[in-house]
Amino acid sequence: MSEYKVVNNYLVFEELNSDSIGVNFRAGETENRKASKHRLLTEVYPFIAGNPDIWKRVNILLDGIRKSNIPNLYSPEKIIKEEGSGRALLIYPLLKGRTFEKVLEDSTEKDLPINFDLAFSIAIAIADLIDTGSSIVVSGQKSFHGFLTPDNILIDYDGKIYLKNYGIFPYLNKTDELFNGMVGKYGAWVAPEFLRKEKLLPQSDIYHLGYIIYRVLTGEYFSYSNGEDFDAKFSNIRFTQQLPSSDIDFITNLITFFKRTLNPDPTKRFINMKEFKDYIAQYFHIEELSSVTFNLAYFMNSLYLETMEEEANRLKKELAYTIPEPKKDTAASDSHLAESILAGLEEQKSSKLKVIIPLIAVIIIVALVAVFFISQAQKAAKEKEQQIQTIRDMESRLAQFQKQQEDAQKQYQDQLKTLETKKATTDEEQKTKEEEIKKLKEWRLQQEQKDQERIKIEQDALKRQQELADQQKKDQDDAALKKKQDAEKKKTEDEAKRLEEERNKVTEGQVVSLSDIDEQPVKIKGADPVFPPFVKNKYAGNKDINILANIQIDETGAVMNVRILGDPPEDLANIIGKTLKKWQYKPAKKKNVKVKVWMPVSFKIAL
C-alpha cells in the first residue's frame, strides 16, 4: 500500500486540482494513526498566504461565508495558519463529484457533450446561487462571486451545484504577484476589468457565465483585444453543439446574449442576474428548474458511472490505511541499559572495589560511546530527512513557478496570434495593430527577464542545498546499492505482473464495469410499477415525472441493489425501488463468466 504524507495532522492521499485560491488535495483527519473521515485540503498559494494584508482579508471573508450557513456556498470547516512556515490550509468536507472544469474536459474526451438546454439550465442554477449569496453584505454592499471560473464551480453526482471561493476576489488588492499569478493561470477566462486592474463588479459574474456558455456551445475560448471590433467577433461564429432552432431570430437572440455577457464594458452587460435569467427564459424558453438537478444527475452518472464504484473502493482503502508507528528511540534504551549496569556495579563495589573499578570504567566508556554514536546516527538521519524534505519543497516550488511561466507563455502566444490575425483595413488600423503587437512583445520580454531572474535564484538555492546534502552524504557501498536496486526492481516487476494477472482474472460474481462486459444483461421477467389509486389521485394533473435509478444485477440475474438518483417524491421512489427488486435478468458475462454489473434504468411516469 502507498505511503502517504502527513500534513498538520491530516493524511494527504492525492492531489486533485487547483483553483483560484490554491492546490486541492483529498485528505483525512488522523485519529489513532488512521484517517477518520475524508476531507478536501486546500493549500493556499504562497502569494496569497504570504501577504499579510491579502491573507487577512481572505481569512475574514472565508469565515464570513462559513457563518452565513448557505449550504451551496462551499466554505471551509477549518482554517489553519502555520506559524513557522507561514503556510495556510483550508479544510472542507469532501464532495463526491467533479469541478465544472473537469466535467467540460471529460465530456469532450468521452464524446458526451453538454447540450444547449442543460448548459443554460446550469447557468440559471448558478445565477440563483449567486442571488442567494448576495444576501451576505460586505462593507454595506451585496456580495457576489467575482471570479467564477469553472474550477470554482463544483457538481456532485446527485446533480447539486456548489460555488467555491465565493466573494473573495472583489475585496483583494491586486498586487503584481496576485495579478500575474491569476493571469498566468487563467488567461482568457479572466474578466476584462480584472486584466485592466479595475474593480470587480457583479457584472463580472455575468461575464463568466456568458464565457461558460460560449465555451460549451462553440468548443472555443473567447478572446478580445483592445482596438478590435467587438461586434465583428460574432459575425462568423460557429457552434459545435446542435441548437434547438436554426431560425434567424433564434440565432440573433443567441448572439445578442453573448454581446450582453462578454462585452469588455461591464455597463453594457446585463444589469443583474434577474435580467440575465429573464432573457434566457424569454428567448430560449428555459424557465422551470425543477428538473435541472435530475437532468444534471443523469448526465453526471452517465459520464462517471464506470468510475464511481472504483472511486468508492479507493476511498474505502484510504480510510483503512494505518500510519506506521514511529521508530523506537534506541539511544534512550541504551542509556537505560548503561544506568542499569552502573547501578548493578554500585552494589558490588564494597567487596570488589579494587578489581572492579577498571572494569567499571571500561563498561562506562563502552556504554557512553555506544549511546553517543547511536545518538549521532539518529541525529544525522533526522538531519538527512529534513534536508531531503527541504530539497523536495524547493523542487516543488520551482516546478510550480515553471508551470506558471509555461501557462503565461501559452497565453502570450494566444494573444499574439489574435493580434497578428486581426484584419486591418486602413493604414491607421495597421499602425495601431503594429503598436499593440510591439507593446505586447515588450511586456512579454520584461516578464520573461523577471521570470528568468527568479528561476535562477530558485535554481541557485536548490543547487546549494543539493551540494550541501551531497557533502554530508556518507559513502555508500555500490555493490549493496546495486543489489538493493535489483531487488526493488524485481519486486516492482513481480508486483506489476501480479496486478496485471489479477486485473485480467475474472471470477463469477465479480463486479465489472458495464462497458467492459462481453454480454449485456437482458431483462427476462418483471412487471411495470403499479401505483395505488391514492397515489394516482395525489399526483393527478401533474406533468410527467422522470425517475432515474442505477440497479446492480448479480451473477444469477437478480436485482441486488437499487439506487434512486436525484430527489423524486418518496412514495413514487419506494414503489419503483420495490418493483425493480422483483425484476429478473439474464446475467451479464465477461469471458463467458457470469458477473455483477451496475446498469442505469429510467421511468417516465404519467399518472
Side-chain angles (χ1 to χ4, degrees):
M1 189 175 283
S2 303
E3 291 289 339
Y4 300 114
K5 184 179 179 182
V6 177
V7 176
N8 213 305
N9 205 38
Y10 286 87
L11 194 57
V12 178
F13 297 116
E14 183 183 5
E15 181 177 338
L16 300 176
N17 63 299
S18 61
D19 54 44
S20 59
I21 287 294
V23 182
N24 298 308
F25 301 85
R26 187 173 63 253
E29 188 169 8
T30 57
E31 182 179 339
N32 297 325
R33 297 174 35 235
K34 279 194 170 189
S36 57
K37 192 174 183 181
H38 277 101
R39 291 288 184 270
L40 181 79
L41 183 150
T42 300
E43 183 174 354
V44 181
Y45 294 130
F47 56 81
I48 293 178
N51 185 309
D53 180 57
I54 289 180
W55 172 246
K56 181 179 179 182
R57 287 173 176 263
V58 169
N59 195 3
I60 292 172
L61 291 164
L62 284 172
D63 194 49
I65 298 300
R66 179 181 62 81
K67 290 179 179 177
S68 70
N69 204 27
I70 298 176
N72 293 73
L73 298 186
Y74 193 45
S75 56
E77 299 173 328
K78 188 184 298 184
I79 301 173
I80 301 172
K81 189 67 158 66
E82 296 179 350
E83 293 297 332
S85 65
R87 178 167 58 178
L89 305 174
L90 310 178
I91 311 300
Y92 298 82
L94 182 68
L95 295 179
K96 293 182 179 179
R98 297 288 191 274
T99 65
F100 192 48
E101 180 180 48
K102 183 62 174 169
V103 171
L104 289 173
E105 292 175 2
D106 292 342
S107 64
T108 301
E109 181 180 339
K110 296 183 180 181
D111 195 23
L112 189 65
I114 300 172
N115 62 36
F116 182 92
D117 286 353
L118 184 58
F120 274 100
S121 295
I122 291 171
I124 291 180
I126 294 171
D128 281 345
L129 288 181
I130 294 172
D131 269 345
T132 303
S134 67
S135 62
I136 302 171
V137 177
V138 180
S139 300
Q141 296 181 340
K142 292 183 177 181
S143 64
F144 55 96
H145 194 290
F147 216 86
L148 198 60
T149 49
D151 52 14
N152 283 325
I153 302 169
L154 309 177
I155 305 176
D156 71 10
Y157 295 141
D158 289 332
K160 296 184 179 67
I161 299 174
Y162 299 82
L163 302 184
K164 192 170 185 281
N165 303 323
Y166 177 89
I168 292 175
F169 275 81
Y171 306 100
L172 300 187
N173 293 329
K174 296 180 185 65
T175 64
D176 288 341
E177 196 169 15
L178 177 67
F179 178 81
N180 293 334
M182 292 299 101
V183 173
K185 175 173 173 57
Y186 292 102
W189 278 107
V190 180
E193 49 269 31
F194 186 92
L195 291 173
R196 297 191 295 261
K197 294 189 176 181
E198 297 173 355
K199 183 178 180 181
L200 292 173
L201 302 164
Q203 287 82 3
S204 303
D205 288 342
I206 290 174
Y207 175 88
H208 282 114
L209 287 174
Y211 201 114
I212 288 171
I213 297 293
Y214 185 92
R215 173 78 176 85
V216 171
L217 297 186
T218 68
E220 297 179 354
Y221 295 94
F222 181 78
S223 63
Y224 171 81
S225 301
N226 290 334
E228 280 189 287
D229 185 342
F230 176 72
D231 290 341
K233 298 289 290 185
F234 306 97
S235 58
N236 295 315
I237 189 170
R238 295 182 180 180
F239 299 99
T240 57
Q241 299 299 325
Q242 183 176 356
L243 301 181
S245 170
S246 58
D247 183 81
I248 187 64
D249 289 338
F250 184 88
I251 301 299
T252 300
N253 292 333
L254 185 55
I255 291 175
T256 301
F257 170 82
F258 287 134
K259 289 181 179 181
R260 296 192 64 187
T261 53
L262 298 174
N263 199 299
D265 183 353
T267 63
K268 295 181 180 179
R269 300 174 199 157
F270 291 112
I271 297 174
N272 51 40
M273 285 299 172
K274 182 180 185 306
E275 189 177 26
F276 171 85
K277 292 186 289 185
D278 288 347
Y279 187 94
I280 295 173
Q282 180 179 353
Y283 293 105
F284 306 135
H285 307 295
I286 299 175
E287 301 170 301
E288 298 182 11
L289 292 179
S290 58
S291 61
V292 171
T293 301
F294 171 83
N295 292 335
L296 193 51
Y298 187 93
F299 177 81
M300 291 292 287
N301 277 263
S302 300
L303 189 60
Y304 294 110
L305 179 63
E306 297 179 5
T307 60
M308 286 169 64
E309 186 157 356
E310 179 184 337
E311 182 179 321
N313 289 334
R314 184 167 63 250
L315 297 182
K316 185 177 179 181
K317 287 181 180 178
E318 288 174 351
L319 292 181
Y321 176 79
T322 302
I323 302 171
E325 289 190 15
K327 295 180 180 179
K328 294 181 179 179
D329 191 345
T330 310
S333 300
D334 288 346
S335 178
H336 291 314
L337 175 62
E339 291 173 2
S340 298
I341 292 171
L342 292 176
L345 291 174
E346 183 68 22
E347 294 175 1
Q348 301 176 29
K349 71 177 181 179
S350 59
S351 59
K352 300 180 180 179
L353 190 59
K354 293 182 180 180
V355 177
I356 296 301
I357 285 178
L359 182 59
I360 292 175
V362 171
I363 293 174
I364 290 173
I365 292 171
V366 170
L368 292 177
V369 168
V371 170
F372 171 77
F373 279 109
I374 292 172
S375 299
Q376 288 299 107
Q378 289 184 331
K379 181 180 178 181
K382 187 175 181 181
E383 290 176 350
K384 181 180 179 181
E385 185 179 347
Q386 290 174 341
Q387 280 183 339
I388 291 172
Q389 186 59 47
T390 300
I391 291 173
R392 285 176 180 169
D393 291 344
M394 295 175 74
E395 288 174 339
S396 176
R397 188 167 63 246
L398 180 60
Q400 183 180 0
F401 182 74
Q402 288 173 328
K403 177 65 169 59
Q404 290 176 353
Q405 188 184 31
E406 290 172 4
D407 293 342
Q409 178 65 19
K410 184 177 183 301
Q411 174 65 17
Y412 161 71
Q413 293 292 346
D414 291 343
Q415 292 176 339
L416 182 61
K417 183 178 179 181
T418 301
L419 287 175
E420 289 176 341
T421 56
K422 184 172 68 174
K423 292 182 180 180
T425 56
T426 65
D427 291 342
E428 184 176 351
E429 288 179 352
Q430 181 64 29
K431 183 178 179 181
T432 301
K433 172 182 173 180
E434 291 172 353
E435 288 177 353
E436 288 178 352
I437 292 175
K438 181 181 177 182
K439 289 180 181 178
L440 180 61
K441 288 182 176 179
E442 289 175 350
W443 175 82
R444 183 58 194 158
L445 181 61
Q446 293 175 354
Q447 290 300 118
E448 286 179 345
Q449 289 173 346
K450 291 179 181 179
D451 291 345
Q452 290 303 322
E453 289 174 1
R454 178 173 171 181
I455 286 177
K456 188 176 185 306
I457 292 172
E458 296 283 353
Q459 287 176 333
D460 289 345
L462 178 59
K463 183 179 178 182
R464 287 194 299 272
Q465 191 66 32
Q466 288 172 331
E467 288 174 350
L468 179 62
D470 290 340
Q471 289 173 2
Q472 294 179 349
K473 185 178 180 181
K474 294 182 179 180
D475 294 334
Q476 296 180 349
D477 188 336
D478 292 338
L481 180 59
K482 180 69 167 58
K483 183 178 179 181
K484 180 181 178 182
Q485 289 173 336
D486 290 343
E488 289 176 347
K489 181 180 179 182
K490 186 176 185 305
K491 181 180 178 181
T492 302
E493 291 173 349
D494 292 343
E495 180 66 7
K497 183 178 179 181
R498 185 189 67 78
L499 291 174
E500 184 65 21
E501 291 173 352
E502 190 69 22
R503 278 195 295 269
N504 294 329
K505 182 181 177 182
V506 180
T507 58
E508 184 166 308
Q510 178 180 336
V511 178
V512 178
S513 170
L514 194 63
S515 62
D516 291 338
I517 60 177
D518 302 323
E519 294 183 30
Q520 296 280 337
V522 178
K523 182 183 173 185
I524 57 177
K525 187 174 69 174
D528 291 334
V530 177
F531 300 96
F534 74 89
V535 174
K536 291 182 178 180
N537 293 335
K538 180 179 178 181
Y539 297 99
N542 285 6
K543 293 184 177 179
D544 293 347
I545 300 173
N546 295 313
I547 296 182
L548 171 68
N550 282 336
I551 61 174
Q552 187 180 44
I553 304 165
D554 70 9
E555 65 273 21
T556 68
V559 176
M560 291 178 59
N561 294 298
V562 177
R563 293 177 182 169
I564 303 296
L565 303 177
D567 192 20
E570 185 175 356
D571 49 0
L572 298 182
N574 288 337
I575 294 171
I576 293 292
K578 291 177 181 178
T579 300
L580 287 172
K581 286 195 174 182
K582 296 177 182 178
W583 285 11
Q584 183 71 31
Y585 285 78
K586 179 183 177 182
K589 289 184 180 180
K590 180 176 181 180
K591 296 182 179 180
N592 209 30
V593 178
K594 296 177 181 179
V595 294
K596 293 187 181 79
V597 292
W598 281 95
M599 185 176 76
V601 295
S602 62
F603 293 87
K604 186 174 183 180
I605 302 171
L607 297 174

